[in-house]
Amino acid sequence: METLKIMNPATGEILKEISCHTEQEIKLILENGQTGFKKWAKVNAHERSRLLKDWARKIQEHKAELAEIITKENGKPLSEAVGEINYATSYIDWYAEEAVRIYGRTIPASSETKRIVVSRQPIGMVAAITPWNFPAAMMTRKAAPALAAGCSFVVKPAEETPLTTMRLIELAHEVGIPTDVIQYVNGQGPVVGKLFTDSEFIRKITFTGSTPVGKVLMKNSAETVKHLTMELGGHAPLIIVEDADLDYAVSQTIISKFRNAGQTCVCANRILVDENVIEAFSEKLTAAVNKLTVGNGMDTNVDIGPIINEKGFNKIVAQVEDAVAKGAEVLTGNKYDVNKEQSSFFVYPTVLKNIDVSMAIMQEETFGPIAPIISFKTIEEAVEIANSTPYGLAAYFFTNDYRVGMYLHDHLDFGIIGWNDGAPSAAHSPFGGMKESGLGREGGIEGIEPYLETKYLSIGNLV
Ligand code: SIN
């Protein structure tokens, strides 16, 4: 039987070995999900809302336990894991409220004997594929609107971090959300992904992960014309305008860049600084980065945990080496703590200067604690550099000049923009990307729409 060994990336300790579901088991889970959907779609919205609120409450009661699971399987510092549980809960709270606000409408008809009524219905069974970097929040960001809308839900968590998802789903069952309405499947991505895309029962796939995998899911979903939400890669620019408050901008850059050791889709990946303030900004950023501590996320006062695996680590090192070979200056970092035997890979937070657009670090997502600084002369040039990749997820800029701010807002091709804000994500806001960063939005009032079908009824022959 195929198994997954769940490993603590800080220590190499095997936390648990779990069985992968077989093809037959997965097919049965999907059949159950279809039965679950038929029942759940008929549960009234107030009851769905109540059950979601109970789930949120239960998660909060188990916050310490869940945070520890996240830190052990993902590596992020415990304080960040606690923050993630709160963030994950906020999606359930938000969509518990939205469940009772799924409104239809009436349309004035062109004849006195007709009425037209528009109603919203749950789309069907939803399959989610979630990443290892936010094992709790990326699951609830999908499950909560699906369940609120009346859909059943099955999730394949990342092979590295299934334990958080499994525990969250157990808690959902404990509060009374039926076992066939929310389920998980463990297995290898390509195998489970294909069973999901081939399934006649699944009406929607929602995925957070890399752009290449998203493209495969999109292609494979074409056969059964599934609805899709794709939260794909990012390569966020962070622009420091000449007039920016540099101390404040540095503090927000630290939040954006180094959360989860830089392993987020929205983290600042390319730091663009006006040439007139680049020296001052680089100095201040380097001083702040030098205060960050690296280590096991379970230890107190650790800011930067391990990189999830060797593949991720090798990509980071290759980008830094490429940049240095092409003339980048290392202001701090470029230091590693590696124990290959126990598979633990730590990268010290690194600041690089003298970056240019020919370097791989300016073209590809990094997913690590590396801050490359590139200079610009004009706002137009900053926008051109920022928009010059296929990605369009998040962008940040720092200025107190409202005209420059609005110019940047209008010209940056990104779905999420932080203006003097390094942490724009929130359950009540529509998270999602443009270009090859994805399709659709999660969070906010937009986030429930992809789980609903629109149906209209035209009644004739009235008196
Ligand atoms: C992500 O990196 O995929 C999500 C980050 C967030 O929700 O802020």
Side-chain angles (χ1 to χ4, degrees):
M1 182 191 288
E2 206 186 341
T3 61
L4 298 175
K5 284 193 177 125
I6 317 307
M7 198 195 72
N8 182 336
T11 61
E13 178 203 353
I14 303 296
L15 301 168
K16 208 168 185 167
E17 185 164 358
I18 57 172
S19 321
C20 293
H21 286 100
T22 63
E23 192 174 325
Q24 275 72 22
E25 285 169 338
I26 295 174
K27 285 187 171 157
L28 192 63
I29 286 170
L30 300 185
E31 271 174 38
N32 289 343
Q34 181 65 357
T35 311
F37 167 62
K38 291 198 173 128
K39 286 184 298 182
W40 186 248
K42 291 199 171 66
V43 171
N44 78 68
H46 293 265
E47 177 64 2
R48 294 201 301 265
S49 169
R50 186 188 66 74
L51 284 165
L52 283 169
K53 284 180 185 166
D54 287 350
W55 187 25
R57 216 171 4 254
K58 192 81 169 174
I59 291 173
Q60 283 296 305
E61 283 164 20
H62 288 260
K63 183 154 53 185
E65 174 206 340
L66 286 160
E68 191 171 324
I69 299 175
I70 293 183
T71 293
K72 287 195 169 157
E73 66 178 352
N74 163 283
K76 69 178 65 176
L78 198 54
S79 57
E80 281 193 34
V82 169
E84 183 182 343
I85 292 300
N86 290 335
Y87 184 38
T89 311
S90 70
Y91 282 98
I92 305 176
D93 282 331
W94 173 267
Y95 286 108
E97 299 291 339
E98 287 301 288
V100 292
R101 295 190 174 83
I102 300 169
Y103 303 121
R105 72 189 205 278
T106 58
I107 298 177
S110 55
S111 146
E112 299 73 35
T113 63
K114 276 194 170 199
R115 299 279 187 284
I116 302 173
V117 180
V118 180
S119 61
R120 313 302 307 281
Q121 295 189 351
I123 209 163
M125 188 187 352
V126 172
I129 302 177
T130 53
W132 50 262
N133 62 344
F134 289 90
M138 297 305 101
M139 196 281 264
T140 59
R141 183 148 93 185
K142 299 171 191 324
L147 298 187
C151 300
S152 61
F153 183 82
V154 58
V155 55
K156 189 212 88 70
E159 289 93 300
E160 294 84 349
T161 56
L163 304 179
T164 307
T165 297
M166 290 162 71
R167 188 69 186 120
L168 284 169
I169 291 183
E170 261 172 33
L171 296 177
H173 296 160
E174 277 177 32
V175 299
I177 300 178
T179 51
D180 51 7
V181 167
I182 181 163
Q183 307 179 87
Y184 62 80
V185 162
N186 282 319
Q188 299 297 338
V191 178
V192 180
K194 192 73 175 64
L195 286 166
F196 280 178
T197 52
D198 285 352
S199 166
E200 61 190 289
F201 298 132
I202 292 170
R203 290 310 313 137
K204 177 180 173 68
I205 305 259
T206 170
F207 170 67
T208 296
S210 74
T211 297
V213 173
K215 288 180 183 177
V216 172
L217 290 168
M218 287 169 75
K219 275 194 196 123
N220 292 347
S221 294
E223 202 54 47
T224 47
V225 193
K226 294 194 198 314
H227 293 254
L228 297 168
T229 297
M230 295 278 137
E231 297 294 357
L232 308 178
H235 199 12
L238 184 148
I239 301 172
I240 306 291
V241 182
E242 190 175 2
D243 77 304
D245 173 341
L246 295 187
D247 291 315
Y248 175 75
V250 162
S251 68
Q252 294 293 302
T253 305
I254 295 281
I255 292 170
S256 169
K257 175 69 256 186
F258 296 103
R259 173 180 171 221
N260 201 13
Q263 300 173 107
T264 79
C265 303
V266 289
C267 74
N269 256 319
R270 300 173 286 153
I271 302 179
L272 286 62
V273 186
D274 184 292
E275 61 178 2
N276 294 318
V277 290
I278 196 163
E279 290 309 321
F281 178 83
S282 306
E283 213 172 280
K284 285 174 187 285
L285 183 67
T286 304
V289 166
N290 282 336
K291 292 193 186 128
L292 298 174
T293 53
V294 178
N296 183 336
M298 289 301 291
D299 295 341
T300 42
N301 298 326
V302 163
D303 301 304
I304 310 274
I307 299 304
I308 190 73
N309 56 31
E310 187 166 9
K311 188 168 166 228
F313 172 78
N314 288 342
K315 183 176 184 196
I316 297 166
V317 175
Q319 285 192 2
V320 174
E321 280 176 356
D322 169 77
V324 171
K326 290 176 178 156
E329 182 189 344
V330 179
L331 296 185
T332 189
N334 193 15
K335 205 176 122 197
Y336 310 96
D337 198 348
V338 173
N339 184 332
K340 280 205 179 191
E341 253 165 54
Q342 66 175 37
S343 284
S344 68
F345 302 89
F346 290 88
V347 175
Y348 282 74
T350 298
V351 181
L352 301 174
K353 224 176 98 185
N354 294 344
I355 293 293
D356 70 58
V357 288
S358 73
M359 297 171 181
I361 205 160
M362 287 297 285
Q363 306 302 330
E364 302 162 6
E365 194 172 23
T366 305
F367 248 61
I370 314 295
I373 302 178
I374 182 167
S375 79
F376 66 84
K377 288 188 186 354
T378 64
I379 289 296
E380 292 75 14
E381 187 196 358
V383 169
E384 197 183 316
I385 297 172
N387 286 342
S388 68
T389 77
Y391 298 105
L393 186 56
Y396 307 83
F397 57 79
F398 290 83
T399 178
N400 292 319
D401 181 326
Y402 76 93
R403 288 200 179 95
V404 174
M406 284 315 292
Y407 177 88
L408 287 168
H409 166 267
D410 293 347
H411 291 83
L412 288 170
D413 297 331
F414 293 82
I416 303 163
I417 302 216
W419 178 351
N420 291 339
D421 184 5
S425 304
H428 39 272
S429 303
F431 187 105
M434 297 182 182
K435 294 162 45 181
E436 293 192 21
S437 284
L439 293 177
R441 296 293 179 269
E442 294 185 308
I445 52 171
E446 289 85 352
I448 199 161
E449 287 296 320
Y451 299 92
L452 295 166
E453 283 283 15
T454 298
K455 186 185 259 183
Y456 86 81
L457 173 71
S458 182
I459 312 169
N461 201 21
L462 297 169
V463 283

